Amino acid sequence: MTTLADDRSEAAGGTRQAVREDVPVRADGVQLLGEQQGSGYRTPPALARRADGQVLQLTTLLYAVLTAMDGVRTYDEVAAAVSDAVGRSVVGDDVRMLTDRQLRPLGLLRLADGSSPEVRKANPLLALRLRFVISDPSRTRRLTAPFAALFHPLAVVAVTLAFAVVTYWVLFRKGLASAAHQAFTSPGMLLAVFAITVASAGFHEFGHAAALRRGGGTPGAMGGGLYLVWPAFYTDVSDSYRLGRGARLRTDLGGLYFNAIVALAMFAGWAVIGWDGLLLVIATQILQMIRQLPPMLRFDGYHILADAVGVPDLFHRIGPTLAGLWPTRWRDPEARALKPWARAVVTLWVLVVVPLLLLTALVTVLTLPRILASAWHSFATQGQLLGERWQHNDFLGVGAKTLALIAVALPVFGVCYMLGRSVRQLVGATLRRTKGKPVRRTLAAVVAAAVLAALTWAWWPHGNYRPISANEHGVLQQALAPVGLALPVSQSSQAAVGVHDGQRLTAHTVWPAHGAGLPTPGHPALAMVLTPRDPSRPTWVFPFNRPAPPGAGDNQAMAIATRDGSVVYDVAFAMVTASSDTVLNRNEAYAFASCTGCKAVAISFQVVLVVGNAHVSVPQNISAAVAYNCIRCMTAAMSLQLVVSTPGPLDASTSAKLAALWAEIRYFGRHMGSLKLSQIRAQLLNYEKRIMQIVAPAAASSAAASSAAGPSGAVGTTAPGESPGGTGPQGATTSATAGSDTASAGNPATSSSGSGAPSSSDTPTPSATVSPSG
């Protein structure tokens, strides 16, 4: 007998009736589903369902006994009926033994006093909990009946093709940048996207129920619950176990099919009203489908694989499958219960899932300090932003930040809950299996002490409780390094992370052939290790000197591609303040390439706010794109510089507007990798105009207020120039665009520094550079 852990079933109660001691009676609500169709077992099991929705696999003999118990036959009469059904001799005592030892403990028969037994459902680790019913079975059947027509073959083909076309257009043609920008800059739109996504998760369950009805089954209750600690919906489709393989697969795929329908509905809505934020819902549907498909957890992909193979509970087969891999147990009856092809598929699944789950658990344990620190830091940041929204009575913003806090907290609670529950189940199973076996229990205690010591070492504070920073790669090798399981880390990964105090790395060194012997742990030798600050910096191969690094108040973007097939780009945005008598700020963009099939792109954008009268103002704006010994390579450099002089201090309102705009500009600089150079230039020129629209009125107002102190200058701009390059050696193409916008006036002012925060300074502020990796 096997218990099927169905996460989507509803509990029911029972009644008490008097029964004769010699007449066994099935418990209330027990349903006989018959032999499983399309089974992967050599001998297909028979299925029975209890009142609480739990589906049980029974042997042929047990199912025949349960079938014969009609509430009228005595044990002897049941034995006679079973003998005729199975073709073997069964007596009344045999039926009594099977009743007392198997059928009644399973909750399939009433107790001696006529009451239905109290049973406990299977409680696997990865199961839905705290379930509540939203729609009872009768209402579910009425609600889902109209949707069954959507599973007509012609409708399925049409929806599938339309979904494929829409997905391609959204992801590869239209893109999601405008949708994400609209959603995340408008709290109301973000909340609408969230609400539609949650509703679509419920509609996903409609798909399962409607598909079951299409196949001739009867859906049960629909509701919600918690999967670990994440909210989730469920549908009782346990009636699908009595259907054929095709109908079961249709039921499993019905939820994904309805996700595609939601995506098409959102596309139609976008076509009518033109809100790009609706396209973000299409992305969430695609992500939900991707999340559902891997058969690692009890999602749709798991049930699809289980029904395709004909093994309802794959996790139940992990133990027998692993035991059957041992040569001496290869031909054990439990290991050979499956058909050869089904056994091969299940074995492959076990060999993939078990290491992945163990590796995931190990990485989670080792990185828990970093996860907790990052969550605490993010929670504090989002909490501060929520407080600001509350002070400004921005209730939509409060709702959005509340969702952000929940999104940060739930994964942490989920990880902690999963680890705690795993430990509790492991300890309980160990105590049960070692009961009455002192040697095994002692050995288990030693192993538990070793694991506890390892956890204490891994979680003890020694600089590991720090948030995950943006410059960390977070590769698997680094996560496994504390236990000595790290694989070699690439040079770029080590360069990004750096070397911390106490960190132990491996390096090659040269030792003199003559003289003292090699150092040993007992007789170490003093050595000096030189660690380059930027090991990933490419070798300079060009026939001219490398440009000098930027000085104070300068801005420089430099992309160097020397590796075949590489794509390197560098972006440098800076807003600096100059209040001295001389303004010599430099804005430079250099793109150099010497490789095959590579690209180098450099973009620099500098805003110089001149405070007061600068008697010498010679700002420099330089761009250069060079292709040297290149084959099929491309280089492009673009630099734009805006110099503005204002006669007086900017007021608080103007400074705040300027800071907000600069934050938007910096965000654009970090997310413009998919744009064309012409699009980038147009957007930067637009930002220049918006800066002038903010600064010019304040400068004019300040000039009027300080006209008695001296002459005031005008604020204006000159259009940037462009100088496209020509064809480089061996057919390579280079291009460079350079521009300089200047405006002069001669009165004091304040401006924003490179970080975007308002500040004032007597000397130019060093530029802030954003350098995404290619």
Side-chain angles (χ1 to χ4, degrees):
M1 186 283 303
T2 300
T3 300
L4 303 184
D6 194 327
D7 298 338
R8 300 165 287 178
S9 55
E10 176 194 10
T15 60
R16 174 176 298 189
Q17 299 178 4
V19 297
R20 292 168 46 188
E21 292 186 359
D22 61 337
V23 177
V25 180
R26 292 197 293 265
D28 294 335
V30 172
Q31 300 179 20
L32 304 179
L33 303 181
E35 184 180 279
Q36 182 185 6
Q37 302 181 40
S39 175
Y41 287 88
R42 293 177 184 268
T43 302
L47 304 177
R49 181 167 54 201
R50 292 190 315 223
D52 63 351
Q54 186 76 66
V55 179
L56 308 175
Q57 291 187 58
L58 304 177
T59 63
T60 302
L61 177 62
L62 284 176
Y63 190 80
V65 171
L66 188 62
T67 302
M69 292 178 175
D70 56 3
V72 178
R73 292 189 178 103
T74 63
Y75 284 106
D76 291 335
E77 292 171 340
V78 169
V82 171
S83 298
D84 294 338
V86 301
R88 52 187 293 190
S89 177
V90 179
V91 298
D93 290 340
D94 296 332
V95 174
R96 289 180 183 274
M97 180 190 67
L98 294 174
T99 297
D100 295 336
R101 294 186 179 182
Q102 298 196 48
L103 294 178
R104 188 162 281 139
L106 291 175
L108 296 174
L109 300 179
R110 291 182 185 172
L111 301 177
D113 61 357
S115 63
S116 292
E118 294 184 2
V119 294
R120 295 182 59 186
K121 293 186 64 175
N123 189 26
L125 173 64
L126 303 175
L128 196 69
R129 308 183 189 284
L130 299 180
R131 286 179 287 187
F132 57 89
V133 175
I134 299 176
S135 171
D136 58 35
S138 61
R139 185 179 294 111
T140 299
R141 288 189 284 272
R142 291 196 304 270
L143 291 175
T144 58
F147 295 101
L150 293 174
F151 288 91
H152 189 280
L154 294 179
V156 172
V157 172
V159 169
T160 303
L161 292 177
F163 175 70
V165 172
V166 168
T167 299
Y168 174 80
W169 181 81
V170 170
L171 297 183
F172 299 99
R173 294 298 182 184
K174 168 65 176 176
L176 293 169
S178 60
H181 180 269
Q182 187 179 86
F184 288 100
T185 54
S186 174
M189 177 61 72
L190 182 61
L191 292 176
V193 170
F194 176 79
I196 296 174
T197 302
V198 172
S200 70
F203 193 64
H204 173 98
E205 299 303 323
F206 268 70
H208 292 303
L212 179 58
R213 293 210 54 157
R214 178 75 183 186
T218 302
M222 296 177 62
L226 293 180
Y227 189 75
L228 295 178
V229 296
W230 287 274
F233 295 103
Y234 74 91
T235 303
D236 178 3
V237 293
S238 55
D239 196 54
S240 65
Y241 284 123
R242 65 179 180 85
L243 304 179
R245 180 182 285 115
R248 294 199 305 269
L249 290 175
R250 183 194 296 113
T251 302
D252 298 332
L253 292 168
L256 301 177
Y257 178 59
F258 271 42
N259 282 129
I261 293 176
V262 172
L264 294 181
M266 291 301 103
F267 178 77
W270 171 85
V272 173
I273 62 179
W275 289 354
D276 282 1
L278 293 178
L279 298 180
L280 207 59
V281 179
I282 298 178
T284 64
Q285 300 308 300
I286 297 173
L287 291 176
Q288 283 191 36
M289 297 170 75
I290 294 174
R291 180 182 66 88
Q292 289 280 352
L293 282 175
M296 311 305 171
L297 302 177
R298 295 181 188 273
F299 292 135
D300 290 352
Y302 171 87
H303 295 289
I304 291 171
L305 178 63
D307 287 331
V309 177
V311 181
D313 193 355
L314 293 173
F315 281 109
H316 177 78
R317 297 296 309 174
I318 289 180
T321 300
L322 293 177
L325 294 177
W326 197 254
T328 58
R329 302 186 61 179
W330 175 256
R331 303 188 65 81
D332 282 0
E334 183 68 14
R336 300 182 67 252
L338 299 180
K339 298 176 181 177
W341 70 269
R343 183 180 183 183
V345 174
V346 174
T347 300
L348 179 62
W349 178 82
V350 170
L351 294 179
V352 172
V353 169
V354 171
L356 281 178
L357 292 179
L358 293 177
L359 182 61
T360 300
L362 177 61
V363 172
T364 301
V365 169
L366 295 178
T367 59
L368 186 61
R370 305 296 306 278
I371 294 174
L372 294 177
S374 300
W376 178 260
H377 179 267
S378 180
F379 199 86
T381 302
Q382 296 298 329
Q384 182 180 0
L385 294 175
L386 186 147
E388 295 176 357
R389 300 292 190 275
W390 182 268
Q391 291 177 357
H392 291 84
N393 295 325
D394 181 7
F395 297 112
L396 289 178
V398 170
K401 292 305 172 185
T402 301
L403 292 179
L405 289 174
I406 295 174
V408 171
L410 279 182
V412 177
F413 289 143
V415 169
C416 296
Y417 174 82
M418 182 183 67
L419 292 178
R421 182 170 171 81
S422 300
V423 170
R424 188 175 67 179
Q425 287 192 346
L426 183 60
V427 170
T430 302
L431 292 178
R432 288 192 300 270
R433 294 182 180 182
T434 59
K435 185 177 180 180
K437 302 175 182 178
V439 176
R440 292 188 178 182
R441 177 158 292 191
T442 301
L443 180 61
V446 173
V447 173
V451 172
L452 182 60
L455 290 177
T456 303
W457 171 80
W459 291 347
W460 193 263
H462 53 271
N464 53 340
Y465 286 87
R466 65 183 189 277
I468 300 172
S469 59
N471 67 329
E472 295 186 52
H473 281 214
V475 293
L476 185 61
Q477 301 96 307
Q478 297 164 359
L480 297 178
V483 294
L485 298 178
L487 300 173
V489 183
S490 66
Q491 185 182 31
S492 59
S493 299
Q494 292 196 16
V497 176
V499 181
H500 306 294
D501 292 340
Q503 184 178 1
R504 181 172 297 179
L505 298 176
T506 301
H508 297 281
T509 185
V510 178
W511 200 258
H514 305 285
L518 296 176
T520 62
H523 297 85
L526 183 64
M528 179 176 66
V529 179
L530 299 179
T531 303
R533 292 189 176 183
D534 187 7
S536 62
R537 185 174 181 178
T539 304
W540 186 257
V541 297
F542 302 94
F544 48 85
N545 293 332
R546 187 188 188 102
D554 296 338
N555 185 46
Q556 184 184 91
M558 183 159 55
I560 305 175
T562 57
R563 188 177 60 191
D564 293 345
S566 62
V567 178
V568 181
Y569 69 93
D570 189 21
V571 179
F573 285 7
M575 180 183 291
V576 299
T577 300
S579 57
S580 62
D581 185 65
T582 303
V583 178
L584 301 174
N585 300 79
R586 294 168 60 92
N587 183 51
E588 304 168 332
Y590 300 110
F592 305 130
S594 179
C595 44
T596 299
C598 60
K599 297 180 181 179
V601 180
I603 300 173
S604 63
F605 178 61
Q606 183 186 46
V607 178
V608 181
L609 297 180
V610 181
V611 177
N613 292 322
H615 294 86
V616 179
S617 180
V618 190
Q620 301 180 59
N621 191 50
I622 303 170
S623 67
V626 177
Y628 175 71
N629 285 338
C630 262
I631 301 176
R632 298 187 307 277
C633 63
M634 186 274 287
T635 60
M638 180 171 62
S639 61
L640 282 83
Q641 184 183 53
L642 174 65
V643 181
V644 181
S645 176
T646 59
L650 301 179
D651 54 32
S653 176
T654 302
S655 298
K657 293 179 181 178
L658 195 60
L661 177 58
W662 188 251
E664 180 182 341
I665 294 173
R666 287 176 61 84
Y667 179 85
F668 170 75
R670 292 191 297 267
H671 300 84
M672 63 181 187
S674 61
L675 300 180
K676 298 179 181 179
L677 286 177
S678 59
Q679 295 173 318
I680 295 173
R681 182 179 181 278
Q683 184 60 48
L684 293 179
L685 292 176
N686 179 59
Y687 284 136
E688 286 187 351
K689 293 179 181 179
R690 293 173 60 183
I691 291 173
M692 294 304 302
Q693 290 172 358
I694 294 175
V695 175
S701 175
S702 176
S706 60
S707 59
S712 61
V715 179
T717 64
T718 61
E722 297 185 5
S723 57
T727 303
Q730 302 182 25
T733 301
T734 69
S735 66
T737 62
S740 176
D741 291 358
T742 61
S744 61
N747 298 296
T750 62
S751 72
S752 296
S753 65
S755 62
S759 67
S760 61
S761 174
D762 294 332
T763 58
T765 305
S767 63
T769 303
V770 180
S771 301
S773 62

